[in-house]
Amino acid sequence: MFEAVFVAFSYGAGTKNFSENSKWIRNYPDMRKFALPAPEGVRPVKAEELRLDRIRAMSVPGFRDVFGNRETVFAESEKLLAMPSTVETELDYLNRWVPGKPHHNGYAFTFSHFGRTAHLYFATGHPLLGRYLHDYVLHAATLPEWFYVGDKVKEESWQKNKIASLSATGVTRAFIKTLCFAGELFTATERAFIEEAVRKNCYELSLRWMQQRGMRNSNWVTVIGNALLMTGRYFGDEEAVKLTMDCLRNYVQIAVEEDGSYGESFHYFCYGFGSLVPSWEMMSDAERERTFAGARLSRSSRWCASHILFRPAYPDQTFFHNLSFGDSNVNEPFPRELAHLLEQQYGDKLSRYLACNEVPPAALLAEIPLAQAFDTGEVFLRSSWQPDATVVAALAHHEVQSHWHRRPESGNFLVGVDGFPLVVPHGNTNEYKRPLYKLARQTSSANTLLLDGQNQKHHLQQNCKTILARENSLAAVSVQALEEAYVPKFQSIRRHIFLLKPSRTVVVFDTLRGGEAPVSIVANIHFNDIRHDASLVQDGLRFHYERPNHISANLFVGACDEEATASSAKSFVVSELYNNRDEESQLREKEKGNAFRVTYGLLKPATQARLYAVLQTSQGSRVPVWNQDSLLVDGISIRISPTQITLQRGDVVENLPLAQ
C-alpha cells in the first residue's frame, strides 16, 4: 500500500514559492509547498488522543539503542509529550499532512523535527503518527543528492570530494531516530532502502568530511560530528565513532580561548556548541569526562553574559538583545540545550539565566569586571549589571583559535542603552555569496575608522592589540592599537573609548600618528532604525537621535587639530523583523534604509589626526569642549598622550599608564 513513495520524484511538483515576497535563490527544486497526499478518510488527531503506552514501548520490536535504552528513550519521549507547544506543532504538521515548516535553506531542514515525531510515536504508538513517519521518511529516502547537501551538489569541489554539508545532519537525525524508535513500521526491504540512503548520503559523506577536516577549529565539527556519531553507532562502525569522539574532544579542548571566549563570535559559539548537545546526550559518563574535563568551555558563560543587554528593547519583545561582532546579529538567542549542557557538565549556573532571558542574580555577575578584555580581542564596558545599563563593546583583531566568521572590522564599537541596541553592527544574512553579505563585510559597514576608503586587511593578516581595559572612579576605559589593521601605514592608530560616570556618556577618541603619506581619514557610526520609528537630525557637527517615548541621544563629533567634516545618510543593517535569509525582504529594507550612518573626519587628507565622538544619552549632559590638549565632557577632563591617559573631575585625578 506504500509503493507510491518509491516512485521517482518529479521536480515539477510543489515548486511554487512559499511566499510571494520570498524569491527562491537555490540551485535545486523549491519544495516549500510540497506535500504527499494524505491517506483517505483520516480525521484530525487531538492532543488527548496521544496517550502513553509504556507496555508497548518496552516490547515493540525493531528498537535500537543508539540514543539510549528503552527506559531512557521513553523518559525523553514522556517529557516531549508533556510539552503542549511541541505536541501542538507536531499535530499541526500531522493533521495538515505536510513534512514540516518550509525552510529558507532547503527541503532537508524541513525534516529536522522528525526526531521529535519518532519520540512521540514510540511513547504512544498512535497509528497515524506511524503512517506519517513511514510515508515521509520513505519519500525523503528517494530523493537525490541535492536533498542532503543543498547548493554544494553543484560545486565542482564537492563533486570531486563528496563530503558532507550541514544540511545532511538534520536528515540523519530524522532517519536514524525513526529507524531506532519506529523500526517496526518498515518492511525489511524498506528498512534496507532507507539504510542505504543514509549510508550513501549521510554516513559516508560525514566520514569523509571528518577524515579530511575533523581536526579544524570549525563549528562544522560539532554539526557533522553529530551525524557521524549517530550513523557510526547505528552501523556498528567503531572506527568512525572513535574518529568522531577524537575530533569532538579536540574541538572542545582547543577551539575556545583561555578565558572562555570564542573567536567565531557569540552567534557561532551558540550554534557550534549548541550543535554539540545531541552528541553529548549520546555519550557515556566516561566519554563526557574525556571530552569535556578541564576544557576552557567551563568559563564561557561569563564571556557570553558580557554581550547581553538584560532588558527587552520593545514591549512586544520576549528576548534580550546582545552586542556581538562578525557574522552575528543582535537578536541571537542563547540556546537552552547548551545551558543545560554547561550546567550538567560544569555546574554552571549563569547560562541558565541567559537562555531563559532572565536577569541573573547579582552574585553570579559580581565577579565579572565592568571593564573586561577577552582573548578574542573583544572589550566590554558596562555602567553596571542592572537591566538599564549602558554597555559598550569594541573589537581589535589578532590571532585566535577559531577564526572563521570574522570580518575586517577592527575598531568596531557597539552601544546598548537600557536594553536597546543603539549603535549597531551591520549583521549577517548567512547567504555568504550574495550581495548583501558582501556589503556586510565592508569596513565601511562597521563603526570604525575608514582610511582612504579602503577595506582593512583580512582579519588573519591583522595583529591588533588591546592595550587597556580598566574601570576607575571616573570611567570604564579601553584602548586598542589598530595600526596593524590598515593598508595605509601609520606609526600608531589608537582608539580610546570611555564610558563616563555617572552620566554614562560614551566618548570615542582616535589618535593617528606617523602616516607614510596623506590619506583621507573618516569614521562611521551606524544608529538603529530597524523599526522605522527613529529620527536623526544634523546641526553642523552635532546630531540628535530620537526614538519617541524611548531614547533620546546627542552625538557630537570633531577633530582636534584640523578642520572637521560630518554628514549623515540613511543606511542598512540586517533587519530582525525578517528572517536574515529572506533576501527580498532584506533588500526592501536596504532600499528604505533602516539605519542612520554618521560619517565624520578630516576635510583634507593627512598623515595624522585626532578625532572624537561624544554620545550622550542622559538629560542635562553638557556640550563637550576641546581645549588644546584635553576634551572636557560632562565635567570630566580627558587628556591623552602616547604613554598615559589622565582623567580629572575637580580634585579627583585618575592616571592610566599605556603600554608601548
Side-chain angles (χ1 to χ4, degrees):
M1 64 184 292
F2 301 120
E3 289 154 353
V5 296
F6 286 105
V7 175
F9 181 71
S10 169
Y11 280 12
T15 56
K16 293 182 180 179
N17 285 334
F18 174 62
S19 167
E20 292 181 358
N21 298 324
S22 181
K23 183 180 179 181
W24 186 247
I25 62 173
R26 305 295 174 189
N27 291 323
Y28 49 87
D30 179 1
M31 301 287 287
R32 288 175 291 179
K33 275 288 190 178
F34 178 81
L36 291 171
E40 293 184 7
V42 298
R43 59 174 180 78
V45 177
K46 298 179 180 179
E48 54 266 28
E49 296 178 51
L50 298 182
R51 301 184 184 93
L52 287 170
D53 188 344
R54 181 183 178 82
I55 295 176
R56 175 195 169 278
M58 294 300 120
S59 60
V60 66
F63 177 85
R64 294 282 301 275
D65 62 356
V66 171
F67 300 93
N69 60 28
R70 291 176 187 262
E71 291 284 357
T72 300
V73 174
F74 186 80
E76 182 64 28
S77 303
E78 189 175 11
K79 289 179 184 177
L80 290 173
L81 192 60
M83 298 178 181
S85 61
T86 297
V87 173
E88 181 182 357
T89 299
E90 292 300 319
L91 289 182
D92 175 59
Y93 299 149
L94 175 70
N95 291 331
R96 291 190 293 125
W97 209 258
V98 297
K101 182 179 180 180
H103 200 282
H104 48 266
N105 203 34
Y107 191 42
F109 291 90
T110 304
F111 286 76
S112 60
H113 72 99
F114 267 64
R116 295 193 299 271
T117 313
H119 268 289
L120 295 180
Y121 173 73
F122 177 75
T124 66
H126 195 285
L128 201 59
L129 276 175
R131 176 67 184 269
Y132 174 80
L133 281 167
H134 176 277
D135 287 13
Y136 269 108
V137 170
L138 276 174
H139 150 67
T142 67
L143 298 179
E145 290 174 331
W146 60 259
F147 175 68
Y148 301 91
V149 294
D151 281 333
K152 288 191 175 294
V153 77
K154 298 290 185 180
E155 296 179 4
E156 183 179 346
S157 60
W158 186 86
Q159 294 294 340
K160 179 180 178 180
N161 296 311
K162 292 291 180 78
I163 57 178
S165 183
L166 298 181
S167 54
T169 299
V171 181
T172 305
R173 194 165 188 80
F175 283 179
I176 297 297
K177 281 204 167 185
T178 300
L179 290 173
C180 288
F181 305 161
E184 87 285 0
L185 293 173
F186 305 97
T187 66
T189 301
E190 291 170 340
R191 176 186 283 271
F193 182 81
I194 298 168
E195 287 178 346
E196 180 58 26
V198 172
R199 183 183 295 276
K200 175 185 175 183
N201 297 299
C202 301
Y203 164 71
E204 292 179 358
L205 298 186
S206 298
L207 179 59
R208 278 196 287 270
W209 192 95
M210 294 298 280
Q211 288 171 335
Q212 295 178 24
R213 305 180 182 184
M215 287 298 175
R216 291 185 176 187
N217 288 345
S218 166
N219 58 72
W220 282 43
V221 172
T222 65
V223 183
I224 294 175
N226 178 29
L228 186 56
L229 189 60
M230 283 187 286
T231 53
R233 287 187 168 168
Y234 183 86
F235 291 119
D237 187 341
E238 294 183 3
E239 288 299 315
V241 171
K242 182 180 183 303
L243 171 64
T244 305
M245 293 300 300
D246 288 345
C247 292
L248 291 176
R249 181 181 186 279
N250 179 74
Y251 181 76
V252 169
Q253 292 293 329
I254 70 173
V256 172
E257 303 299 318
E258 185 66 34
D259 59 6
S261 58
Y262 182 70
E264 286 193 287
S265 78
F266 176 79
H267 165 69
Y268 280 96
F269 173 85
C270 295
Y271 173 66
F273 285 94
S275 298
L276 182 63
V277 173
S279 296
W280 176 77
E281 291 174 338
M282 286 189 282
M283 294 179 190
S284 65
D285 289 343
E287 288 171 330
R288 290 179 180 180
E289 177 69 15
R290 179 177 180 271
T291 303
F292 291 91
R296 304 157 181 169
L297 180 64
S298 63
R299 298 187 281 276
S300 292
S301 64
R302 289 166 54 112
W303 171 74
C304 291
S306 297
H307 295 76
I308 306 299
L309 307 178
F310 288 104
R311 172 171 285 174
Y314 309 106
D316 59 350
Q317 181 180 315
T318 58
F319 62 91
F320 296 146
H321 282 98
N322 68 81
L323 301 180
S324 52
F325 301 98
D327 290 342
S328 284
N329 291 309
V330 296
N331 60 329
E332 305 285 0
F334 190 90
R336 293 192 177 210
E337 61 272 16
L338 177 55
H340 177 69
L341 183 157
L342 294 174
E343 184 169 9
Q344 293 296 309
Q345 194 65 47
Y346 300 116
D348 181 275
K349 302 299 183 184
L350 178 57
S351 56
R352 177 201 311 172
Y353 295 93
L354 307 184
C356 294
N357 292 300
E358 297 178 8
V359 180
L364 291 179
L365 300 170
E367 294 182 358
I368 308 178
L370 296 179
Q372 177 145 7
F374 287 96
D375 292 342
T376 50
E378 294 161 294
V379 173
F380 295 92
L381 310 178
R382 284 182 172 266
S383 61
S384 72
W385 284 103
Q386 295 301 310
D388 66 348
T390 295
V391 186
V392 183
L395 176 68
H397 279 315
H398 54 71
E399 185 177 354
V400 292
Q401 295 290 344
S402 302
H403 60 77
W404 312 98
H405 297 290
R406 290 164 80 87
R407 297 177 176 178
E409 58 175 345
S410 284
N412 197 5
F413 81 102
L414 314 170
V415 179
V417 178
D418 196 16
F420 178 70
L422 175 59
V423 176
V424 288
H426 193 282
N428 179 33
T429 63
N430 252 22
E431 300 292 346
Y432 295 116
K433 296 181 180 180
R434 306 294 295 179
L436 284 180
Y437 180 74
K438 293 178 180 179
L439 172 64
R441 289 192 59 83
Q442 302 297 309
T443 301
S444 58
S445 296
N447 305 305
T448 190
L449 289 161
L450 187 66
L451 304 186
D452 240 13
Q454 299 183 51
N455 280 331
Q456 292 179 359
K457 301 173 186 176
H458 190 278
H459 64 265
L460 291 178
Q461 298 176 309
Q462 297 187 23
N463 186 27
C464 300
K465 298 177 181 178
T466 298
I467 297 173
L468 180 73
R470 191 178 304 171
E471 179 203 10
N472 57 41
S473 64
L474 298 180
V477 185
S478 73
V479 182
Q480 294 177 313
L482 308 177
E483 57 269 11
E484 294 292 332
Y486 290 93
V487 176
K489 293 184 178 180
F490 279 76
Q491 180 183 345
S492 171
I493 302 176
R494 289 188 177 182
R495 170 155 279 192
H496 314 73
I497 301 180
F498 305 86
L499 179 56
L500 302 183
K501 299 179 180 181
S503 66
R504 306 186 185 184
T505 292
V506 178
V507 180
V508 179
F509 198 103
D510 297 313
T511 61
L512 298 87
R513 297 186 295 111
E516 281 193 350
V519 297
S520 65
I521 301 172
V522 299
N524 289 311
I525 303 177
H526 296 82
F527 288 92
N528 188 341
D529 189 28
I530 288 176
R531 297 210 172 189
H532 303 286
D533 58 357
S535 62
L536 184 77
V537 178
Q538 180 177 1
D539 181 11
L541 298 179
R542 174 182 176 177
F543 299 83
H544 181 71
Y545 174 92
E546 186 84 30
R547 281 193 71 235
N549 303 317
H550 188 85
I551 187 170
S552 177
N554 288 316
L555 174 70
F556 299 87
V557 299
C560 301
D561 308 300
E562 304 287 342
E563 187 175 358
T565 182
S567 63
S568 63
K570 292 290 283 185
S571 186
F572 167 72
V573 296
V574 175
S575 176
E576 63 185 279
L577 301 181
Y578 305 94
N579 191 293
N580 63 334
R581 294 180 189 260
D582 184 350
E583 188 173 67
E584 286 205 358
S585 295
Q586 296 292 349
L587 282 170
R588 285 199 305 272
E589 290 297 291
K590 179 177 180 293
E591 291 302 312
K592 289 190 292 186
N594 65 357
F596 302 106
R597 174 187 289 172
V598 171
T599 301
Y600 65 98
L602 300 187
L603 196 59
K604 299 177 181 179
T607 58
Q608 61 182 16
R610 289 188 292 179
L611 305 178
Y612 63 84
V614 177
L615 179 61
Q616 299 173 331
T617 57
S618 59
Q619 298 296 323
S621 294
R622 309 173 195 173
V623 175
V625 177
W626 172 252
N627 183 19
Q628 292 186 342
D629 64 348
S630 65
L631 184 66
L632 184 64
V633 183
D634 296 346
I636 298 177
S637 169
I638 303 172
R639 183 178 291 105
I640 299 172
S641 77
T643 59
Q644 181 171 282
I645 295 172
T646 299
L647 303 176
Q648 182 173 0
R649 179 169 55 210
D651 295 331
V652 179
V653 179
E654 297 280 4
N655 291 313
L656 299 170
L658 299 178
Q660 296 303 297

